[in-house]
Amino acid sequence: MNIEELKQKMKVLPKHPRIYPPYKIHWNWDISFKCNYKCSYCEVVRRDEEFNTQIADTDKWREVWNRIFDNYWCTHVRFSGGEPTIYPNFLPFLGMLLEKHTVDITTNLSFDLNKFLDKVKPGGLSISASFHPEFTDFETFFEKLKYLHFHGFPSTLSYVGYPPHLDKIPEYKKRLEDLQMYFKIIPFIGNYKGKKYPEAYDARERRLLEGFATDSKDEHLNDMNSRWVEWRVEKEENKETRDTKIKLGKLCRMGQMYAKIHPDLTVTRCCAGYHGQQSGSLGHLLDPNFKLLDDAQPCSVDYDCPCFKGMFVGEEEDKWEPLWESLDHPIYKVEYMREYAKYLKEQGKK
Ligand code: SF4
Ligand code: SF4
């Protein structure tokens, strides 16, 4: 494809193109820590009182996300929380966001399916559903998940490795994998029966988690599940490997290719430390002059890096780069940006 063809395909050239993998900025947005469920093992809803959650209307969001598109082109927004779908006017906002960006929602799937289908069209949206057995039964949940997955919204199921829920994993995992759907296991972090997890997983539970993390036919899923277990469970115990998690002073692309948006709309490089502040604040999302970092910067965090997908420059690229693959936008495809990056690098050499 020559540059003129490429420009036509891209429609708009960004002011600040991202010329390094994964070529697309990823936002992790804890839109609020409010939730309509109250799972006994939940570690996040209590964080709601830490933030003054900021609500904006769809017009304001359109202005903000158009500006981000003009600066960086199509980005990927990963909503988490809390339950993102209970944010006021979430569905119209989501429909708007998908015009120029791609989205993944971590959701307990409690939203009304008809209202969702009315406002949100397939293309560029994936669903990371988390199944919480204290608030819904598996069959109801699975029916909804299957419907979404097979009607244009690629969906996966995440399941917290809460000790009393571990034994159901083989059955649920098989049900999903029989349909070639992903089942992700999230090792539990928190307290159960007076013990602190993940350190307190016993040998049997640990074997179960490790086994589940590697027994899928899909190698990409095995890789992802194993990295979670390795990062959260195994390295906790081993001092030598734990030291490899300290990245202080090393170049990292978080803040350039990734940023964390908090419920009060402050933006930080990553989630390290209280409200991500130790990693470095980048500003406020509603500020018209808000900008990401232009280059990789040294890590300023002097303790364990919390991210198993950390974008360390010159280190483990072969491991972390594939983990940032996301759904493509129907119009603004990542391959165009990859091509454009190649062109810009060649021009730079000249
Ligand atoms: S659904 Fe998720 S955010 Fe909501 S209470 Fe349960 S674990 Fe917490
Ligand atoms: S703590 Fe990890 S993810 Fe955050 S800036 Fe440092 S190396 Fe990057």
Side-chain angles (χ1 to χ4, degrees):
M1 196 181 330
N2 70 38
I3 185 63
E4 291 312 317
E5 279 173 333
L6 183 61
K7 282 180 183 172
Q8 271 188 9
K9 282 189 186 286
M10 290 181 77
K11 298 185 191 303
V12 179
L13 295 180
K15 292 181 190 150
H16 307 287
R18 302 286 105 167
I19 60 169
Y20 295 102
Y23 301 102
K24 188 172 182 178
I25 290 160
H26 284 238
W27 309 88
N28 184 271
W29 189 349
D30 286 329
I31 191 162
S32 100
F33 285 118
K34 299 181 197 311
C35 187
N36 51 342
Y37 287 0
K38 289 190 169 42
C39 302
S40 56
Y41 47 83
C42 182
E43 291 291 314
V44 297
V45 285
R46 70 186 63 158
R47 298 196 62 202
D48 184 39
E49 59 204 34
E50 290 176 17
F51 289 95
N52 178 13
T53 300
Q54 296 268 305
I55 313 286
D57 61 26
T58 308
D59 286 343
K60 185 71 187 169
W61 285 135
R62 185 181 291 282
E63 182 190 315
V64 169
W65 288 96
N66 278 351
R67 188 162 55 232
I68 287 173
F69 180 83
D70 292 344
N71 279 336
Y72 307 113
W73 214 59
C74 175
T75 69
H76 185 65
V77 181
R78 189 180 184 99
F79 283 111
S80 51
E83 171 56 30
T85 64
I86 64 168
Y87 183 85
N89 289 317
F90 184 76
L91 294 179
F93 166 38
L94 177 61
M96 179 278 292
L97 195 54
L98 287 165
E99 290 169 16
K100 292 183 176 172
H101 301 273
T102 55
V103 176
D104 180 273
I105 316 175
T106 296
T107 170
N108 58 27
L109 230 54
S110 57
F111 55 80
D112 183 297
L113 188 57
N114 290 327
K115 286 186 185 156
F116 176 89
L117 296 172
D118 190 40
K119 295 281 182 215
V120 184
K121 301 300 161 216
L125 172 64
S126 57
I127 306 274
S128 297
S130 35
F131 172 56
H132 298 288
E134 293 169 359
F135 283 84
T136 183
D137 68 280
F138 185 76
E139 298 308 329
T140 311
F141 181 92
F142 191 38
E143 282 308 306
K144 204 164 174 181
L145 187 72
K146 278 192 293 188
Y147 186 89
L148 287 162
H149 185 70
F150 292 108
H151 288 82
F153 303 98
S155 303
T156 60
L157 187 154
S158 298
Y159 189 68
V160 178
Y162 191 48
H165 296 165
L166 284 176
D167 289 341
K168 294 297 277 184
I169 291 180
E171 177 194 335
Y172 297 153
K173 194 167 189 278
K174 181 168 184 329
R175 297 278 300 277
L176 265 89
E177 292 191 347
D178 283 350
L179 298 173
Q180 278 81 50
M181 293 175 73
Y182 274 15
F183 183 95
K184 299 183 200 163
I185 301 150
I186 314 292
F188 172 58
I189 293 184
N191 291 303
Y192 174 66
K193 290 194 171 169
K195 291 186 194 155
K196 190 165 165 283
Y197 285 77
E199 295 89 324
Y201 280 125
D202 63 26
R204 184 192 77 92
E205 292 168 331
R206 214 162 276 246
R207 270 198 308 278
L208 272 175
L209 284 172
E210 283 160 5
F212 296 139
T214 51
D215 68 357
S216 293
K217 286 186 194 126
D218 189 308
E219 282 308 316
H220 181 67
L221 180 61
N222 282 338
D223 192 34
M224 200 153 41
N225 276 334
S226 324
R227 297 267 294 167
W228 264 106
V229 171
E230 188 192 343
W231 199 257
R232 276 199 172 179
V233 183
E234 292 170 6
K235 284 189 178 175
E236 289 306 322
E237 293 187 321
N238 187 330
K239 173 80 178 93
E240 248 168 57
T241 43
R242 271 195 72 178
D243 283 348
T244 66
K245 287 169 89 173
I246 297 173
K247 306 288 182 187
L248 180 68
K250 299 203 167 163
L251 281 183
C252 176
R253 292 205 188 279
M254 307 293 260
Q256 179 198 25
M257 298 305 304
Y258 168 99
K260 173 104 184 166
I261 309 171
H262 300 269
D264 59 1
L265 304 181
T266 53
V267 185
T268 56
R269 264 186 99 177
C270 73
C271 56
Y274 185 63
H275 297 184
Q277 292 298 334
Q278 278 85 338
S279 70
S281 172
L282 303 173
H284 193 270
L285 192 62
L286 297 187
D287 177 352
N289 298 316
F290 171 79
K291 266 188 86 208
L292 292 165
L293 299 174
D294 286 327
D295 296 300
Q297 294 291 329
C299 173
S300 55
V301 178
D302 63 0
Y303 47 84
D304 289 7
C305 167
C307 186
F308 78 106
K309 293 158 74 174
M311 298 170 168
F312 321 123
V313 177
E315 207 181 313
E316 302 180 358
E317 268 101 341
D318 56 325
K319 288 190 184 157
W320 62 256
E321 280 180 15
L323 300 176
W324 290 99
E325 273 172 25
S326 61
L327 202 60
D328 225 350
H329 192 275
I331 299 169
Y332 306 108
K333 295 182 183 298
V334 74
E335 65 170 283
Y336 303 157
M337 182 51 82
R338 202 180 290 122
E339 279 283 305
Y340 188 50
K342 207 165 114 195
Y343 165 78
L344 290 175
K345 284 180 195 163
E346 278 165 11
Q347 292 298 105
K349 272 187 212 149
K350 284 178 199 159

